[in-house]
């Protein structure tokens, strides 16, 4: 990203990566950043990348979380886009991520971060009670988009508290 590679050069690198490991969670997460508007892409290219990765991924790969991350990137850049959290597209992406999480191997290296992103999505989607179990699954790790806030622990605790109160 920081090297300013052209899209053509990045696509060549990406072809090598997916030839070696087609559904690598970390590689896809990093590539999503390249396609963000803040780097070398746009909202359209970012969502196109996420959709393509998800379309070819097996259940349990956790690549469905890419779509939640794409929506988050869009909302962070344009605060007026927060209504996206209640859109049919976001709700469908969230439900797909929940199903993918249920199919994932508990030892998957992306499981804790995925729980955090899905919990965040559930809260933003108006379903905080459903997030409580995901917070339990993150253990002591502050996982998900909260790591990007100025005081991650406080924001994470507030979200977890909201989920606990909604579930009570």
């Amino acid at each position: 990203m920081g090297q300013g590679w052209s899209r053509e050069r990045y696509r060549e690198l990406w072809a090598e990566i997916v030839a070696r490991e087609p559904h690598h969670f970390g590689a896809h997460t990093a590539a999503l950043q390249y396609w963000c508007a803040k780097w070398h892409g746009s909202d359209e290219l970012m969502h196109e990348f996420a959709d393509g990765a998800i379309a070819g991924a097996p259940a349990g790969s956790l690549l469905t979380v890419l779509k939640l991350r794409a929506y988050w990137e869009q909302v962070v850049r344009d605060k007026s886009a927060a209504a996206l959290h209640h859109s049919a597209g976001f709700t469908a992406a969230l439900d797909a991520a929940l199903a993918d999480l249920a199919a994932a191997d508990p030892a998957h290296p992306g499981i804790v971060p995925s729980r955090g992103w899905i919990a965040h999505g559930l809260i933003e989607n108006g379903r905080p009670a459903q997030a409580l179990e995901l917070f339990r699954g993150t253990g002591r790790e502050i996982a998900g988009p909260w790591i990007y806030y100025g005081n991650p622990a406080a924001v994470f605790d507030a979200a977890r508290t909201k989920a606990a109160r909604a579930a009570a």
Side-chain angles (χ1 to χ4, degrees):
M1 291 176 291
Q3 294 181 357
W5 282 16
S6 69
R7 291 176 183 169
E8 181 179 305
R9 186 171 178 199
Y10 191 81
R11 283 186 178 108
E12 290 171 6
L13 172 65
W14 186 247
E16 290 181 33
I17 291 169
V18 295
R20 293 176 188 176
E21 186 65 44
H23 310 296
H24 190 278
F25 183 81
H28 279 81
T29 299
L32 183 75
Q33 288 298 306
Y34 178 88
W35 294 110
C36 290
K38 69 183 177 187
W39 285 104
H40 303 288
S42 65
D43 290 344
E44 293 78 20
L45 288 170
M46 174 181 62
H47 282 283
E48 181 182 300
F49 173 78
D51 292 341
I54 293 165
S61 69
L62 299 175
L63 292 184
T64 51
V65 173
L66 291 173
K67 193 66 174 179
L68 302 180
R69 293 181 76 129
Y71 277 113
W72 187 82
E73 288 288 345
Q74 198 172 346
V75 170
V76 165
R77 235 181 18 75
D78 179 5
K79 299 294 184 204
S80 67
L84 285 172
H85 286 132
H86 296 283
S87 69
F90 183 81
T91 300
L94 190 53
D95 291 338
L98 282 165
D100 199 19
L101 181 65
D105 180 340
H108 189 296
I111 202 150
V112 172
S114 294
R115 285 178 180 141
W117 282 97
I118 297 167
H120 180 270
L122 287 166
I123 289 170
E124 295 298 325
N125 192 241
R127 298 155 55 184
Q130 285 182 263
L132 185 57
E133 194 58 37
L134 296 172
F135 280 112
R136 288 183 178 133
T138 63
R140 297 180 56 118
E141 185 175 335
I142 297 174
W146 294 285
I147 63 173
Y148 299 106
Y149 288 88
N151 186 344
V155 179
F156 181 82
D157 277 345
R160 187 173 49 191
T161 298
K162 183 175 186 173
R165 286 186 177 144

